[in-house]
Amino acid sequence: MSDQPARGRQLVIGNLVTPLGVFLWATSFPTTALLLENWHPVPLAATRMAIGGTTLMILVLVSGRARELQWVNWRDAFFFGGVILAVSTTLLVTAQDYADPVSIAIISSGIPVVSLFIGYLMGSEGLSARKIIAIAFAVAGGITAAMAGITEPGEFRGGEIIILGSLVLFTVFTRNTVGRFHNVSDLTKGAATTGAAGLTMSVVIGGIWASGLVDFRYDLNGRDLALMAWNGSISAGVSMVLWFYGGRLLSVTIAALHQNAAPFHVMLVMFLLGGGFLFDRLIAAALVIFGVILAQWPTRPRG
């Protein structure tokens, strides 16, 4: 019985922290859309990860956790961060350049489905009717939020396939990072993996750029620098730490259910900036919340 109050506190904290992380991550969609007007998606993704990794490394040093960097399995950090996360981020930004935002948001709602399927194949997560129904509500909420106010989706340009690949890789990255880095804090694991991604991408992109094979476009105007600073340090950096924290407390699949409220968060940001409010997205957010609650509702022990 003594474990139940502690577990209850974990659920409360996890369900408060994860939506905050999703909100910060969701701000990357409008900021990335603006940055893609002047930036090629590949250097944009690399710069985003480099800023995110640098920000988290500074936070590790300031918080007195520098010692934890010695405990990090850097081989795993560079494989899951420097390879899988790096490719996933590049595909995510590229997909936004080759697909309409509605399609991106709809396909992104499949993260909990991907996570549950991978967990089932790995033997770390079981299937239950209640969990499947909960995911169905969350996915329905994500699709409803994405379609709100849209009369017809944009034409197919290939980004839909790219974003699907990004989501699968990001789910693999998250599940392995949460499961393997038990000996360090969420801040340190975020700094290690995001930093590894930023370093790897910067080296690769820098080499391609120096060779003259590709001429990447970019713009260092004041607006883009401010957007990039937010996109990297907050949307990619701080949100990653909160994501790991929520995934550790709730499980990656449950935390992923919160991701389907991302279109609602984007609408909320635009509303605060003077945009319109769509009640369809409010209903969609309610569907997602119901799915999150249903998935975590305690079961009564039999016998």
Side-chain angles (χ1 to χ4, degrees):
M1 293 295 291
S2 59
D3 291 337
Q4 291 182 1
R7 179 55 182 163
R9 285 193 296 271
Q10 285 186 355
L11 292 178
V12 171
I13 295 173
N15 283 294
L16 291 175
V17 168
T18 305
L20 176 59
V22 171
F23 173 77
L24 297 178
W25 172 76
T27 61
S28 68
F29 285 99
T31 55
T32 298
L34 293 172
L35 287 167
L36 285 171
E37 296 174 359
N38 301 319
W39 284 70
H40 187 282
V42 174
L44 172 56
T47 305
R48 173 181 175 175
M49 283 291 101
I51 294 175
T54 302
T55 300
L56 296 183
M57 281 293 182
I58 293 174
L59 291 177
V60 167
L61 297 177
V62 171
S63 64
R65 299 179 182 273
R67 195 178 202 179
E68 292 186 6
L69 295 174
Q70 302 174 10
W71 307 337
V72 172
N73 185 331
W74 286 102
R75 184 181 62 180
D76 284 349
F78 272 93
F79 177 72
F80 293 108
V83 178
I84 295 181
L85 176 61
V87 175
S88 173
T89 302
T90 303
L91 292 178
L92 174 64
V93 177
T94 303
Q96 289 185 252
D97 201 31
Y98 288 94
D100 66 280
V102 178
S103 299
I104 294 294
I106 291 174
I107 298 175
S108 296
S109 67
I111 291 180
V113 179
V114 174
S115 178
L116 180 62
F117 181 68
I118 293 176
Y120 178 72
L121 292 180
M122 295 172 60
S124 60
E125 196 158 2
L127 294 176
S128 67
R130 188 179 60 174
K131 185 175 290 186
I132 293 173
I133 293 173
I135 291 176
F137 270 100
V139 171
I143 294 175
T144 302
M147 295 298 294
I150 302 298
T151 55
E152 109 184 55
E155 61 180 3
F156 178 81
R157 291 189 294 152
E160 294 81 0
I161 298 177
I162 298 175
I163 188 64
L164 182 60
S166 173
L167 296 180
V168 173
L169 289 176
F170 185 73
T171 304
V172 171
F173 158 75
T174 302
R175 295 189 71 96
N176 280 278
T177 302
V178 170
R180 290 170 181 264
F181 292 77
H182 291 295
N183 58 332
V184 296
S185 63
D186 296 303
L187 175 58
T188 302
K189 73 178 66 166
T193 53
T194 307
L199 179 61
T200 303
M201 296 168 76
S202 298
V203 171
V204 173
I205 301 306
I208 296 175
W209 208 330
S211 68
L213 296 175
V214 181
D215 185 19
F216 295 119
R217 74 181 190 278
Y218 67 97
D219 196 334
L220 299 179
N221 63 75
R223 186 207 72 164
D224 284 10
L225 288 177
L227 290 174
M228 187 67 78
W230 175 272
N231 203 327
S233 61
I234 305 301
S235 296
V238 175
S239 73
M240 184 71 77
V241 178
L242 299 179
W243 172 244
F244 285 150
Y245 191 64
R248 179 169 56 84
L249 294 181
L250 303 177
S251 85
V252 176
T253 298
I254 301 302
L257 296 179
H258 286 283
Q259 293 272 18
N260 290 347
F264 173 78
H265 294 313
V266 173
M267 183 201 68
L268 186 60
V269 171
M270 301 308 294
F271 174 72
L272 295 175
L273 294 176
F277 190 90
L278 298 175
F279 284 96
D280 289 353
R281 286 187 176 165
L282 183 61
I283 296 173
L287 290 174
V288 173
I289 293 172
F290 177 77
V292 171
I293 294 174
L294 179 62
Q296 300 174 80
W297 196 263
T299 55
R300 180 177 299 176
R302 297 181 179 180

